[in-house]
């Protein structure tokens, strides 16, 4: 099973940018659909962005469209999330996730993903 480690989180002022990375080991991510989720205190885990195995298909939550960009480098076994125009509502723990296709797969559903990282905290101050 693939192991995932996120990095790149931190504290930033509103309007700023951050780039998250997710390094994989134990398996190649090229056969996995990959995604970023986030969870703020007291809220459910939310699917933020997803990307197909080859990168041709991307999913974004309405709340981040136009501000976040998901990408992957299968040769480096790494997933990325470029975030810009951050606001206080983006404050959360961000998780990297890997999953495989299933008949009921959903980019926004945590149950569609079998492997998770430990998370990296993003804090946006206004």
């Amino acid at each position: 099973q693939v192991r995932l480690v996120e990095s790149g989180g931190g504290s930033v002022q509103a309007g700023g940018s951050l780039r998250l990375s997710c390094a994989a080991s134990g398996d190649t991510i090229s056969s996995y659909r990959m995604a970023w989720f986030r969870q703020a205190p007291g809220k459910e885990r939310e699917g933020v962005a997803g990307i197909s195995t080859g990168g041709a298909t991307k999913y974004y939550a309405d709340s981040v469209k136009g501000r976040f960009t998901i990408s992957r480098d299968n040769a480096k076994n790494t997933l990325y999330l470029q975030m810009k125009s951050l606001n206080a509502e983006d404050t959360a723990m961000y998780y990297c996730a890997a999953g495989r296709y299933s008949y009921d797969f959903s980019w926004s559903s945590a149950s569609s993903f079998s492997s998770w990282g430990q998370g990296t905290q993003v804090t946006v101050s206004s």
Side-chain angles (χ1 to χ4, degrees), residues 2 4 17 23 26 30 37 44 51 54 59-60 65 74 82 86 89 94 102 108-109 111 113 115 122 124 126:
V2 64
L4 306 171
S17 299
S30 60
F37 283 74
E44 292 187 357
I51 188 168
Y59 158 84
Y60 294 100
K65 280 181 181 176
N74 288 341
Q82 179 68 50
L86 287 162
E89 288 69 41
Y94 283 72
S102 63
S108 60
S109 174
S111 63
F113 297 87
S115 298
V122 172
V124 184
S126 56

Side-chain angles (χ1 to χ4, degrees), residues 1 11 23 25 29 40 43 57 61 69 71 81 92 94 96 98-99 103 105 107 110 126:
Q1 190 166 356
S11 296
S25 62
I29 66 169
K43 294 188 177 181
T57 300
T69 302
S71 62
L81 185 67
Y94 283 72
C96 171
Y103 75 95
F105 180 89
W107 288 111
S126 56

